[in-house]
Short mmCIF file of all heavy atoms in Angstrom, two decimals:
data_model
loop_
_atom_site.label_atom_id
_atom_site.label_comp_id
_atom_site.label_asym_id
_atom_site.label_seq_id
_atom_site.Cartn_x
_atom_site.Cartn_y
_atom_site.Cartn_z
N VAL A 153 -1.00 -13.81 -1.68
CA VAL A 153 0.06 -14.82 -1.69
C VAL A 153 -0.40 -16.09 -0.98
O VAL A 153 -1.23 -16.04 -0.06
CB VAL A 153 1.36 -14.31 -1.03
CG1 VAL A 153 2.06 -13.29 -1.90
CG2 VAL A 153 1.08 -13.71 0.35
N LEU A 154 0.15 -17.21 -1.44
CA LEU A 154 -0.09 -18.50 -0.82
C LEU A 154 1.22 -19.26 -0.78
O LEU A 154 2.18 -18.90 -1.47
CB LEU A 154 -1.10 -19.35 -1.62
CG LEU A 154 -2.48 -18.81 -1.93
CD1 LEU A 154 -2.48 -17.98 -3.22
CD2 LEU A 154 -3.47 -19.96 -2.08
N GLY A 155 1.26 -20.33 -0.02
CA GLY A 155 2.44 -21.18 -0.02
C GLY A 155 2.24 -22.39 0.85
O GLY A 155 1.39 -22.42 1.74
N HIS A 156 3.07 -23.40 0.59
CA HIS A 156 3.03 -24.65 1.35
C HIS A 156 4.27 -24.76 2.23
O HIS A 156 5.38 -24.42 1.80
CB HIS A 156 2.98 -25.86 0.41
CG HIS A 156 3.18 -27.16 1.10
ND1 HIS A 156 4.17 -28.05 0.74
CD2 HIS A 156 2.52 -27.73 2.15
CE1 HIS A 156 4.11 -29.11 1.53
NE2 HIS A 156 3.12 -28.94 2.39
N SER A 157 4.09 -25.20 3.47
CA SER A 157 5.20 -25.47 4.38
C SER A 157 6.03 -24.21 4.61
O SER A 157 5.51 -23.20 5.05
CB SER A 157 6.03 -26.64 3.84
OG SER A 157 6.94 -27.10 4.80
N MET A 158 7.33 -24.22 4.25
CA MET A 158 8.11 -22.99 4.36
C MET A 158 7.55 -21.91 3.43
O MET A 158 7.67 -20.72 3.72
CB MET A 158 9.58 -23.24 4.03
CG MET A 158 10.39 -23.80 5.17
SD MET A 158 12.15 -23.70 4.81
CE MET A 158 12.82 -24.43 6.29
N GLY A 159 6.94 -22.33 2.34
CA GLY A 159 6.26 -21.37 1.48
C GLY A 159 5.05 -20.76 2.16
O GLY A 159 4.71 -19.59 1.93
N GLY A 160 4.38 -21.55 3.00
CA GLY A 160 3.28 -21.02 3.78
C GLY A 160 3.76 -20.03 4.83
O GLY A 160 3.16 -18.96 5.03
N GLY A 161 4.87 -20.38 5.50
CA GLY A 161 5.48 -19.43 6.42
C GLY A 161 5.92 -18.18 5.70
O GLY A 161 5.82 -17.06 6.22
N ALA A 162 6.39 -18.35 4.46
CA ALA A 162 6.81 -17.21 3.64
C ALA A 162 5.65 -16.31 3.31
O ALA A 162 5.80 -15.08 3.24
CB ALA A 162 7.47 -17.72 2.36
N SER A 163 4.47 -16.88 3.10
CA SER A 163 3.32 -16.05 2.76
C SER A 163 2.96 -15.11 3.91
O SER A 163 2.53 -13.98 3.69
CB SER A 163 2.13 -16.91 2.34
OG SER A 163 1.57 -17.60 3.44
N LEU A 164 3.15 -15.58 5.14
CA LEU A 164 2.93 -14.71 6.31
C LEU A 164 3.96 -13.58 6.34
O LEU A 164 3.63 -12.42 6.61
CB LEU A 164 3.00 -15.53 7.59
CG LEU A 164 1.81 -16.45 7.87
CD1 LEU A 164 2.19 -17.48 8.93
CD2 LEU A 164 0.60 -15.65 8.30
N VAL A 165 5.21 -13.93 6.06
CA VAL A 165 6.27 -12.91 6.04
C VAL A 165 6.00 -11.90 4.94
O VAL A 165 6.14 -10.68 5.14
CB VAL A 165 7.66 -13.57 5.83
CG1 VAL A 165 8.75 -12.50 5.74
CG2 VAL A 165 7.97 -14.55 6.95
N ALA A 166 5.62 -12.38 3.75
CA ALA A 166 5.35 -11.48 2.62
C ALA A 166 4.24 -10.51 2.96
O ALA A 166 4.31 -9.32 2.63
CB ALA A 166 5.00 -12.30 1.38
N ALA A 167 3.20 -11.00 3.61
CA ALA A 167 2.08 -10.13 3.98
C ALA A 167 2.48 -9.11 5.04
O ALA A 167 1.94 -8.00 5.06
CB ALA A 167 0.91 -10.98 4.47
N GLN A 168 3.43 -9.47 5.89
CA GLN A 168 3.91 -8.51 6.89
C GLN A 168 4.81 -7.47 6.24
O GLN A 168 4.78 -6.29 6.60
CB GLN A 168 4.65 -9.25 8.00
CG GLN A 168 4.91 -8.41 9.23
CD GLN A 168 5.00 -9.25 10.49
OE1 GLN A 168 4.00 -9.70 11.03
NE2 GLN A 168 6.20 -9.48 10.96
N LYS A 169 5.60 -7.90 5.25
CA LYS A 169 6.47 -6.97 4.54
C LYS A 169 5.68 -6.04 3.63
O LYS A 169 6.08 -4.89 3.41
CB LYS A 169 7.49 -7.75 3.68
CG LYS A 169 8.58 -8.45 4.47
CD LYS A 169 9.62 -9.07 3.54
CE LYS A 169 10.79 -9.61 4.33
NZ LYS A 169 11.88 -10.09 3.44
N ARG A 170 4.58 -6.53 3.10
CA ARG A 170 3.78 -5.72 2.18
C ARG A 170 2.31 -5.75 2.65
O ARG A 170 1.49 -6.50 2.13
CB ARG A 170 3.90 -6.24 0.76
CG ARG A 170 3.34 -5.28 -0.28
CD ARG A 170 3.66 -5.73 -1.70
NE ARG A 170 5.07 -5.66 -2.02
CZ ARG A 170 5.60 -5.95 -3.21
NH1 ARG A 170 4.80 -6.34 -4.20
NH2 ARG A 170 6.91 -5.86 -3.41
N PRO A 171 1.99 -4.93 3.64
CA PRO A 171 0.64 -4.99 4.24
C PRO A 171 -0.49 -4.58 3.32
O PRO A 171 -1.65 -4.77 3.66
CB PRO A 171 0.76 -4.04 5.44
CG PRO A 171 1.92 -3.15 5.12
CD PRO A 171 2.87 -3.98 4.32
N GLU A 172 -0.17 -4.03 2.15
CA GLU A 172 -1.23 -3.69 1.21
C GLU A 172 -1.75 -4.90 0.45
O GLU A 172 -2.74 -4.80 -0.30
CB GLU A 172 -0.75 -2.63 0.21
CG GLU A 172 0.41 -3.02 -0.67
CD GLU A 172 1.76 -2.62 -0.06
OE1 GLU A 172 1.87 -2.56 1.18
OE2 GLU A 172 2.70 -2.38 -0.84
N LEU A 173 -1.11 -6.06 0.63
CA LEU A 173 -1.69 -7.28 0.06
C LEU A 173 -3.08 -7.49 0.66
O LEU A 173 -3.36 -7.10 1.79
CB LEU A 173 -0.80 -8.49 0.38
CG LEU A 173 0.58 -8.52 -0.28
CD1 LEU A 173 1.35 -9.76 0.18
CD2 LEU A 173 0.49 -8.49 -1.79
N LEU A 174 -3.94 -8.15 -0.11
CA LEU A 174 -5.34 -8.27 0.31
C LEU A 174 -5.67 -9.61 0.96
O LEU A 174 -6.70 -9.72 1.65
CB LEU A 174 -6.25 -8.04 -0.89
CG LEU A 174 -6.17 -6.64 -1.51
CD1 LEU A 174 -7.16 -6.52 -2.66
CD2 LEU A 174 -6.44 -5.56 -0.46
#
Side-chain angles (χ1 to χ4, degrees):
V153 288
L154 304 87
H156 170 237
S157 191
M158 278 193 180
S163 71
L164 287 164
V165 177
Q168 193 152 283
K169 288 186 173 186
R170 192 172 292 182
E172 62 268 29
L173 293 178
L174 297 182

